[in-house]
Amino acid sequence: MSDKPIKIPGPDHPITVERNPARVVVTLGGRVIADTRDALTLREASYPAVQYIPRKDVDMSLLARTDHSSHCPYKGDASYFSIPSGGERSRNAVWTYESPHAAVAAIKDRLAFYPDRVDSIEEIQR
């Protein structure tokens, strides 16, 4: 049994996960790291919206899993990847919830990128 707290989103800390109708492209160093028309946008409380991208639409060969981890009481335990071509700036630039809490189950095995650790996360409207 885990001693980590599990919190349920609610009026005091809302979380929504919705399909993003835009194409989402992530680039670094002139290379496309991810390109999808199947992103999910997670909005949590007052934080900026985050795009969660399916692994099938990420060039996983450009990523390297790290031993870094973090815990969110609303989402669960996150694992991280670095993008070696980005150097120190792109260390632990990518996170994923491989076993998220039920309230955000839709983001399971999708990847999210820190905007300041890549060159761009572009939403292209159709």
Side-chain angles (χ1 to χ4, degrees):
M1 184 74 174
S2 174
D3 58 355
K4 295 177 183 173
I6 296 177
K7 294 185 177 180
I8 306 300
D12 59 326
H13 193 100
I15 296 178
T16 62
V17 179
E18 300 173 328
R19 185 179 178 284
N20 186 337
R23 177 180 173 200
V24 177
V25 180
V26 179
T27 60
L28 176 66
R31 293 187 79 169
V32 172
I33 307 296
D35 186 344
T36 190
R37 293 180 185 277
D38 191 26
L40 295 178
T41 302
L42 183 140
R43 290 181 178 82
E44 178 176 2
S46 60
Y47 300 116
V50 175
Q51 304 304 318
Y52 280 84
I53 299 172
R55 289 186 187 211
K56 68 179 177 55
D57 295 331
V58 177
D59 187 342
M60 296 299 291
S61 72
L62 301 176
L63 307 184
R65 186 179 284 271
T66 71
D67 59 2
H68 184 68
S69 64
S70 64
H71 176 77
C72 170
Y74 293 95
K75 297 188 295 289
D77 294 321
S79 301
Y80 289 77
F81 292 86
S82 291
I83 308 170
S85 65
E88 190 61 28
R89 169 187 175 212
S90 298
R91 189 169 183 223
N92 296 316
V94 185
W95 74 93
T96 185
Y97 290 93
E98 294 169 334
S99 297
H101 295 327
V104 294
I107 65 170
K108 178 179 172 47
D109 290 331
R110 289 172 174 260
L111 302 177
F113 294 78
Y114 283 109
D116 61 340
R117 299 184 191 182
V118 296
D119 291 340
S120 69
I121 302 173
E122 187 177 7
E123 291 183 65
I124 303 165
Q125 302 303 320
R126 293 182 187 191

